[in-house]
Amino acid sequence: MILLGLILVLLAGGALALVLTEESARYILFGYTFELNQVEMFLAGAAAAAVLLLGLWLIGSGSRRSAKRRRALRGARAEASNRVARLEDEKRELERRLERSPEPGDRLVSRGSQNTRP
């Protein structure tokens, strides 16, 4: 949307440059000659202004959408980082508990050996 808005603004700027550089009401554009009266000139100016405003609106709308998407992405990254930090803390706590236990892992082995009789 931003790119389309920029193109429309450039078109309106080109129309303004065309009007400012011509000395008469006779315009040559792409090999065609246009002679405009006051009403046609007013309508052409109004159309150029409308194109300019539409282009500016598209640029603003696209910028807001991009900013919103960046904010959401930043929030998701922060939330994922917090989740990873919580999991790392939980892992460290479980490792500490495992180191403090009197019989690390022996209970599981002994239970398994009691259930299997030859």
Side-chain angles (χ1 to χ4, degrees):
M1 285 177 67
I2 294 174
L3 182 62
L4 181 61
L6 285 173
I7 291 171
L8 291 176
V9 168
L10 289 175
L11 283 174
L16 177 67
L18 179 68
V19 169
L20 291 177
T21 57
E22 292 292 326
E23 296 172 4
S24 66
R26 181 181 218 178
Y27 300 101
I28 300 172
L29 184 64
F30 301 119
Y32 296 103
T33 302
F34 299 98
E35 288 192 47
L36 304 176
N37 60 22
Q38 288 89 3
V39 173
E40 291 170 335
M41 185 64 97
F42 173 78
L43 292 176
V51 168
L52 176 68
L53 290 176
L54 179 64
L56 292 174
W57 179 79
L58 285 172
I59 290 172
S61 176
S63 297
R64 280 190 299 275
R65 184 191 302 171
S66 295
K68 183 178 174 183
R69 194 174 0 179
R70 280 192 305 270
R71 252 184 267 118
L73 183 61
R74 196 177 313 126
R77 283 181 183 162
E79 201 270 317
S81 176
N82 289 340
R83 203 174 333 139
V84 168
R86 282 194 310 260
L87 287 173
E88 287 176 351
D89 289 342
E90 184 179 341
K91 177 186 169 198
R92 276 189 234 111
E93 179 61 30
L94 289 174
E95 286 174 347
R96 279 189 223 122
R97 285 184 190 174
L98 185 63
E99 288 174 0
R100 287 187 217 145
S101 67
E103 302 169 8
D106 286 342
R107 284 182 276 158
L108 292 177
V109 173
S110 63
R111 283 185 187 167
S113 63
Q114 291 175 358
N115 291 336
T116 57
R117 292 186 181 175

